[in-house]
């Protein structure tokens, strides 16, 4: 190298050192300074001055331990840091450091040894960065995370937990433990599919739920979930994906709520609403049925009355008489159907009295056997002593016949029907719809096909039938149901598919006084011959019924006056000279039969009145001492009502108008 090159190199070295010094001194985001082997400050850059607060003239020559807290100095940390740096080539740490003004900062410190070419330690390079703000942010984040963790862990009304991407449980809060029954030590690390039913697992629902959550951002469902003890709960489940800073899937957040009670309450509400709607429907059908039955009763009254009169006037023609008898039987079958309709509507006229149930069953044994056929055996089972039931014997016979026919239809291949009775005592709220007291439980049990739950629930609905087209009206059980409730009792059905059916008819025990049902009332046993010819006022808005009733009365030898309304009847009473008895329909527009009765009682209190109606929904106070004639009626029943309307002495006191 020539002289020129040597001189240039000697000048370049100091220039390079100046550049490094200027570079270090210009840095303000890092404190970069040099210590001698004993730890005294030898250089000081702007970053050090900015962080520590000392100028170079204040700090150069001072020991670097003054930047440490009293606790760190007492523990010998400054000397240990230099020793580690010298021996291991590096010392790195984060910790509290003290500024000139005594405040603290959180610093990241790196100390490296500085050695000469021959390896001699000539000092240390110390680089420090103030991380106070970052640490404060991290601490705030940590505190926030802790608060969220405490919040989640404290929640008991929701199961909130995390899953890893494969579906294994990674966290577990108190709500999860409360709902599922697992502690965190039992469940963390386990797959969440164990909460699903066998059917859901078999269908792949757990994996599908995670897949939907990951692809669509959310999965939500209600369904059955399994607790640790194996019991089921109805749960509302939401699964959300958890993603990292770069969108990668790191797990799932799962929130579950036990809504079993809410679901049960909702189902109960819906069931109550359905029952209410059904009750409204039944009431509407009952109103319709009652109205139809009323009109049908009027038509049947005309048909039966006219046929009865025609039968009395027939010439000696056997074939013609047979035609009339067939017509009467057909009309009577129509009357039976009407009674079923009124029984369903709870409007049929009942003649309730003490009734010996075993005696009634024995009395209709032949009828029952003929009705169900020879391939079905009928057996009875009654106790030696059974109290009398309070019921209408005719309606009870009809109810028993319906139950027996239903049992027969349930056994197309034959079987056994058992009719039994026993006394039962009912306490408060033991059986819905039954008041506490004593009852006669009359049951009809078959060995037939039985009913499933759905059929059993609909069995007493009107027009519901499982029989083929044309093989049933669907009114049989509804009639029995209506009759039982109107009698103060209840119809209960018990059935299992394939194991037969038992129909229980609960009837109140009769009071001790009174005659047995079916026995004639002594007052009714009077001979019709005792009746002298009377003047009878007949009131009915139906002209056919009016004409028919008048014809039957005239055939019995009585004089008849007719009125088509209550108002017209009162006008006739006020202007007529003599009227011995009034027969009035109940259901009339403008003025009902009871309203007419009240008007008659106020003006003519001793005038006998017969109320003709097929309805039983009449106030008891108005029926005291009142003779009633159930529609449809024949001449014999009309004669019986006339006899019952007589005074105890057997005399009919004529009514004289005030003008007469």
């Amino acid at each position: 190298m020539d002289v020129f090159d040597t001189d240039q190199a000697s000048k370049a070295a100091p220039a390079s050192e100046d550049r490094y010094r200027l570079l270090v001194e210009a840095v303000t985001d890092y404190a970069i300074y040099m210590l001698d082997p004993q730890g005294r400050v030898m250089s000081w850059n702007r970053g050090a001055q900015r962080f520590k607060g000392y100028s170079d003239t204040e700090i150069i020559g001072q020991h670097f331990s003054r930047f440490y807290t009293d606790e760190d100095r007492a523990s010998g940390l400054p000397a240990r840091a230099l020793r580690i740096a010298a021996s291991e080539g590096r010392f790195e740490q984060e910790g509290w450091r003290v500024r000139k003004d005594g405040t603290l900062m959180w610093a990241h410190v790196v100390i490296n040894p500085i050695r000469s070419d021959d390896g001699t330690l000539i000092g240390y390079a110390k680089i420090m960065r103030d991380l106070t703000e970052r640490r404060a942010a991290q601490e705030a984040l940590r505190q926030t995370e802790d608060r969220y963790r405490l919040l989640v862990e404290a929640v008991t009304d929701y199961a909130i937990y995390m899953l890893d991407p494969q579906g294994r449980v990674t966290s577990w809060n108190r709500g999860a433990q409360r709902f599922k029954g697992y502690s965190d030590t039992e469940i963390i690390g386990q797959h969440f599919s164990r909460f699903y039913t066998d059917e859901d697992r078999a269908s792949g629902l757990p994996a599908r739920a995670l897949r939907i959550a990951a692809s669509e951002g959310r999965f939500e469902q209600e369904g059955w979930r399994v607790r640790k003890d194996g019991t089921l709960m109805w749960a509302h489940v939401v699964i959300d994906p958890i993603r990292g800073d770069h969108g990668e899937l790191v797990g799932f957040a799962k929130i579950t709520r036990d809504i079993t009670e809410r679901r049960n309450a909702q189902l109960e509400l819906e069931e109550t609403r359905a029952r209410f709607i059904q009750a409204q429907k039944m009431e509407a059908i009952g109103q319709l049925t009652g109205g139809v039955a009323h009109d049908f009763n009027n038509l049947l009254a005309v048909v039966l009355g006219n046929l009865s009169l025609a039968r009395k006037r027939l010439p000696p023609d056997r074939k013609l008489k047979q035609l009339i008898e067939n017509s009467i039987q057909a009309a009577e079958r129509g009357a039976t159907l009407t009674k079923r309709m009124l029984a369903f509507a709870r409007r049929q006229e009942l003649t309730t009295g003490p009734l010996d149930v075993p005696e009634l069953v024995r009395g209709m044994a032949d009828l029952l056997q003929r009705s169900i056929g020879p391939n079905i055996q009928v057996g009875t089972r009654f106790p030696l002593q059974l109290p009398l039931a309070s019921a209408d014997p005719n309606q009870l016979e009809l109810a028993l016949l319906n139950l027996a026919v239903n049992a027969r239809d349930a056994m197309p291949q034959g079987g056994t029907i058992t009719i039994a009775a026993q006394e039962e005592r009912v306490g408060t709220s033991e059986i819905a719809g039954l008041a506490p007291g004593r009852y006669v439980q009359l049951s009809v049990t078959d060995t037939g096909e039985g009913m499933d739950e759905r059929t059993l629930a609909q069995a007493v609905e009107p027009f519901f039938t499982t029989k083929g087209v044309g093989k049933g009206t669907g009114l049989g059980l509804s009639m029995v149901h209506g009759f039982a409730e109107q009698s103060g009792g209840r119809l209960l059905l018990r059935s299992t598919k394939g194991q037969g059916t038992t129909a229980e008819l609960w009837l109140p025990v009769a009071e001790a006084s009174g005659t047995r049902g079916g026995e004639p009332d002594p007052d009714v046993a009077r001979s019709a011959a005792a009746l002298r010819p009377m003047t009878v006022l007949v009131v009915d808005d139906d002209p056919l019924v009016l004409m028919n009733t008048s014809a039957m009365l005239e055939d019995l030898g009585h004089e008849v006056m007719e009125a088509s309304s209550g108002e017209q009847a009162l006008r006739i009473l006020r202007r007529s000279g003599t009227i011995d008895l009034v027969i009035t329909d109940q259901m009339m527009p403008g003025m009902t039969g009871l309203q007419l009765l009240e008007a008659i009682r106020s003006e003519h209190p001793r005038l006998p009145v017969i109320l003709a109606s097929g309805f039983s929904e009449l106030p008891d106070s108005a029926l005291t001492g009142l003779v009633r004639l159930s529609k449809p009626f024949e001449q014999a029943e009309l004669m019986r009502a006339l006899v019952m309307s007589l005074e105890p002495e057997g005399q009919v006191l004529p009514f004289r108008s005030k003008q007469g």
Side-chain angles (χ1 to χ4, degrees), residues 187-362:
I187 200 62
I188 288 179
Q190 302 296 318
H191 200 272
F192 84 112
S193 60
R194 67 164 50 196
F195 307 138
Y196 287 74
T197 64
D198 293 338
E199 295 78 10
D200 286 344
R201 285 199 299 270
S203 69
L205 179 57
R208 187 165 64 252
L210 297 186
R211 188 166 58 251
I212 292 173
S215 61
E216 300 181 9
R218 180 184 181 86
F219 174 82
E220 184 173 5
Q221 188 196 52
E222 287 187 8
W224 291 112
R225 295 296 182 268
V226 184
R227 299 185 179 96
K228 177 184 175 181
D229 61 6
T231 59
L232 296 178
M233 69 174 179
W234 188 261
H236 175 263
V237 176
V238 176
I239 303 177
D240 293 295
I242 303 173
R243 298 191 178 277
D245 295 337
H246 302 291
E248 73 278 10
L249 182 68
V250 297
F252 298 92
K254 193 166 187 291
I255 301 177
T256 303
R257 188 177 187 190
D258 183 354
I259 57 172
T260 308
E261 292 184 2
R262 190 183 75 181
R263 178 178 184 269
N264 291 341
Q266 181 66 26
L267 291 176
E268 184 175 350
L269 177 62
E270 291 175 359
E271 185 178 346
T272 301
R273 186 183 294 115
R275 284 197 299 266
F276 176 70
I277 293 173
Q278 179 68 9
Q280 287 183 316
K281 182 176 72 173
M282 297 282 281
E283 179 65 22
I285 294 176
Q287 294 289 342
L288 174 64
T289 302
V292 171
H294 172 262
D295 293 339
F296 197 40
N297 264 339
N298 285 342
L299 297 176
L300 288 173
V302 174
V303 172
L304 284 171
N306 287 336
L307 288 173
S308 297
L309 292 176
R311 181 172 53 186
K312 294 174 64 175
R313 291 167 172 77
L314 282 178
D317 186 330
R318 187 173 60 84
K319 190 169 184 179
L320 184 59
K321 183 179 180 181
Q322 184 179 2
L323 292 175
I324 294 295
E325 291 294 342
N326 286 345
S327 298
I328 291 175
Q329 289 180 15
E332 288 175 344
R333 287 179 62 182
T336 299
L337 177 60
T338 305
K339 288 181 179 179
R340 290 185 180 184
M341 296 170 69
L342 287 172
F344 160 67
R346 303 180 196 175
R347 294 183 176 185
Q348 86 275 29
E349 175 66 22
L350 296 183
T351 306
T352 302
L355 180 66
D356 188 329
V357 171
E359 183 180 332
L360 180 139
V361 174
R362 283 190 288 268

